[in-house]
Amino acid sequence: MVEIVLAHQVDLATWRAATRHYVQKQVLPESITWRVAGKGQTPWVLEAPDSADNDAPLNLPRKLVTAVLEALQAHHPRRFELLYRVVYRFTHGLLDMENLREDPDIQQLRELVQSVKQETEQFRLAFSTFSNQHQSKSLQYTPQNYIVEANGRFCIERNAQPWEVMTPYRRMWWDGNQLHFAAGEAEAAHVSADMWQADGQGMWQGYPNTVLVPTLEDVAQAASLASLSAEAMDCRACSLWQPAKRTVFGEGVENTPLMFVGEQPGDQEDLAGRPFVGPAGQVFDKALEEAGILRNHIYVTNAVKHFRFTWRNNRRLHQKPDQESVEACRIWLDAERRLVQPKLIVMLGVTAAQSLLKRPVTISRERSRIFQLNEQCSGLVTVHPSYLLRLPNEEAKAREYARFVEDLRLAHSFITQQSD
């Protein structure tokens, strides 16, 4: 009998190495036992490491690999042997590919995958809600499955500020530069601290990010801004998700009468994971204050949720988003409008105006007047605050800034009249 000792509950590296080795040695599933190491115990390593040189990669379908990676996170005491058995049977032609739905191993695998997917969505919603509140740096969460590690990258992309997630089995925290792991309170007595020091970052690097690419149905069914924001973190609708660090979703009050839409996040927003926090955001905040508008009483977002840029002298310089990205992101903007239900949308700049109005827009012809968008909502076009930063001299900046503040006062006056 072969015993495989795993370092922790989602020790993918050890499970994968052992599975690859013993499947090719044709070691029967019933001849292997699997367990997680206790305190002071050493995880499995191949006794003769040189023999691993003959272990070729297993040729598995992508769908099966994905299912295995997800099911490994399930809270099921016999999942390791189930997954080994499925891989063994597939590799040696012992699965009836014509009747997979009837196979008990495959049925159980699907049940585990479904359980992990459902809880992943719940965890992401909880983390997004926690991130939106900006009241605490620590999220207490009790998962039913071992889903924390696989969502590390999601959490960083959702919230770039330092945070901590504490669960009974795992502590995960982001210090702003690096992701760390340690045993949770319930597991601390059973896991060696040395094991975590040696394995913490390796586990993070080796465990795949769980990607739940949202569908149109997911977007349409989102019941809150927090759940919509959680869905958007894995958006792959256009190519901008690859170079950008994260999706930068909108933030603010649900069911507020006043909504602001800009163009896209900039460099600082992409790093922070929040809209309008860079130089243009500082101008925006100052103008809001002078116009009598409280930022924590409104909703602020962008027409495009990823940062488009070009590298120059080791700096990321803003590039205007192309029409493909504007069109791809419209489903998010439409969903935000559905949930916020604003009485007035202020469009900051050409990209925002063209996205909402779906036609060419000239700011000088459209700005500073309120017009009807539909039966429930009006619109107001003005400049983007970044335009004020690009003006060539202080006189022009002062003049145009004053006009911008007047546009915001017009918005504030309109909303005040609507509420009277």
Side-chain angles (χ1 to χ4, degrees):
M1 181 69 71
V2 177
E3 182 182 59
I4 307 298
V5 180
L6 304 173
H8 46 77
Q9 296 289 355
V10 284
D11 183 4
L12 171 65
T14 301
W15 180 88
R16 181 169 50 194
T19 296
R20 185 172 72 173
H21 180 71
Y22 288 115
V23 163
Q24 293 184 73
K25 297 296 184 185
Q26 299 189 37
V27 176
L28 295 172
E30 55 268 29
S31 298
I32 300 180
T33 60
W34 304 80
R35 67 178 178 86
V36 175
K39 192 168 185 178
Q41 294 181 321
T42 303
W44 173 90
V45 291
L46 202 59
E47 291 184 2
D50 56 326
S51 66
D53 295 340
N54 298 319
D55 294 342
L58 298 176
N59 186 16
L60 303 175
R62 181 178 294 275
K63 283 187 177 181
L64 177 57
V65 173
T66 301
V68 166
L69 295 177
E70 290 174 335
L72 197 70
Q73 303 169 55
H75 191 285
H76 191 286
R78 307 189 71 176
R79 67 192 181 280
F80 303 118
E81 61 188 74
L82 168 68
L83 298 178
Y84 179 86
R85 187 165 61 246
V86 169
V87 172
Y88 181 94
R89 292 178 62 201
F90 176 85
T91 302
H92 296 296
L94 301 177
L95 276 174
D96 184 356
M97 305 306 291
E98 300 296 326
N99 297 291
L100 281 182
R101 290 187 176 276
E102 308 301 322
D103 189 288
D105 284 345
I106 298 301
Q107 287 179 349
Q108 188 174 14
L109 175 60
R110 285 178 174 147
E111 290 173 1
L112 297 184
V113 168
Q114 186 61 26
S115 174
V116 168
K117 284 185 174 181
Q118 288 177 348
E119 183 157 31
T120 295
E121 293 176 355
Q122 294 169 5
F123 171 75
R124 290 184 172 196
L125 175 56
F127 187 86
S128 295
T129 302
F130 153 77
S131 298
N132 288 342
Q133 291 172 347
H134 306 296
Q135 295 176 353
S136 171
K137 291 185 178 181
S138 181
L139 171 64
Q140 302 289 322
Y141 190 82
T142 303
Q144 300 301 309
N145 295 297
Y146 302 108
I147 48 85
V148 172
E149 292 84 351
N151 285 283
R153 186 172 299 280
F154 168 87
C155 293
I156 295 172
E157 292 179 353
R158 181 62 185 83
N159 187 349
Q161 303 304 309
W163 47 258
E164 174 191 61
V165 174
M166 177 63 80
T167 77
Y169 90 95
R170 187 72 69 247
R171 178 183 176 223
M172 175 174 71
W173 71 100
W174 168 250
D175 62 13
N177 295 300
Q178 195 171 28
L179 189 66
H180 305 271
F181 291 94
E185 293 180 2
E187 195 171 295
H190 305 289
V191 178
S192 168
D194 293 338
M195 183 184 300
W196 281 106
Q197 291 172 3
D199 187 62
Q201 288 303 312
M203 178 189 63
W204 155 244
Q205 297 295 338
Y207 204 88
N209 181 41
T210 300
V211 177
L212 301 174
V213 178
T215 65
L216 291 175
E217 184 179 7
D218 293 330
V219 177
Q221 292 180 351
S224 67
L225 288 173
S227 61
L228 188 68
S229 173
E231 294 286 357
M233 293 303 111
D234 278 337
C235 183
R236 303 289 190 264
C238 76
S239 60
L240 291 184
W241 71 270
Q242 293 176 300
K245 285 188 174 295
R246 58 182 51 82
T247 302
V248 180
F249 208 69
E251 68 175 19
V253 184
E254 204 161 296
N255 295 320
T256 180
L258 189 53
M259 176 174 173
F260 287 83
V261 180
E263 179 190 74
Q264 69 170 4
D267 179 73
Q268 294 302 308
E269 288 78 9
D270 185 51
L271 296 173
R274 298 180 57 207
F276 286 89
V277 295
Q282 294 171 19
V283 173
F284 180 55
D285 285 344
K286 183 172 180 287
L288 285 175
E289 184 177 0
E290 291 188 26
I293 300 171
L294 299 175
R295 178 155 174 174
N296 61 358
H297 287 183
I298 62 177
Y299 186 77
V300 181
T301 191
N302 283 296
V304 174
K305 311 304 188 198
H306 285 104
F307 178 36
R308 188 182 187 213
F309 61 91
T310 183
W311 284 103
R312 186 178 301 169
N313 297 326
N314 292 323
R315 292 180 58 203
R316 301 192 304 172
L317 299 184
H318 166 277
Q319 279 190 313
K320 183 178 179 179
D322 57 23
Q323 193 59 30
E324 176 200 2
S325 298
V326 174
E327 294 289 343
C329 265
R330 187 171 285 126
I331 61 167
W332 300 112
L333 190 55
D334 288 345
E336 288 172 295
R337 290 178 64 181
R338 170 176 63 83
L339 293 168
V340 175
Q341 298 182 356
K343 298 293 184 183
L344 178 66
I345 299 178
V346 180
M347 292 158 264
L348 304 170
V350 172
T351 300
Q354 290 181 347
S355 175
L356 284 156
L357 301 178
K358 301 178 184 178
R359 60 175 172 80
V361 172
T362 301
I363 296 295
S364 59
R365 295 177 184 173
E366 307 273 0
R367 75 177 294 186
S368 305
R369 63 181 181 87
I370 293 176
F371 53 90
Q372 205 72 25
L373 283 176
N374 55 41
E375 293 182 2
Q376 292 79 33
C377 184
S378 298
L380 170 65
V381 174
T382 186
V383 296
H384 193 283
S386 62
Y387 161 77
L388 305 174
L389 296 173
R390 297 193 300 268
L391 292 171
N393 57 66
E394 294 304 316
E395 181 181 353
K397 287 181 179 180
R399 181 180 65 251
E400 289 302 315
Y401 176 77
R403 285 193 68 192
F404 181 58
V405 172
E406 283 304 310
D407 286 342
L408 300 191
R409 285 180 177 147
L410 177 61
H412 184 238
S413 175
F414 176 82
I415 292 302
T416 301
Q417 293 173 10
Q418 291 290 307
S419 60
D420 290 341

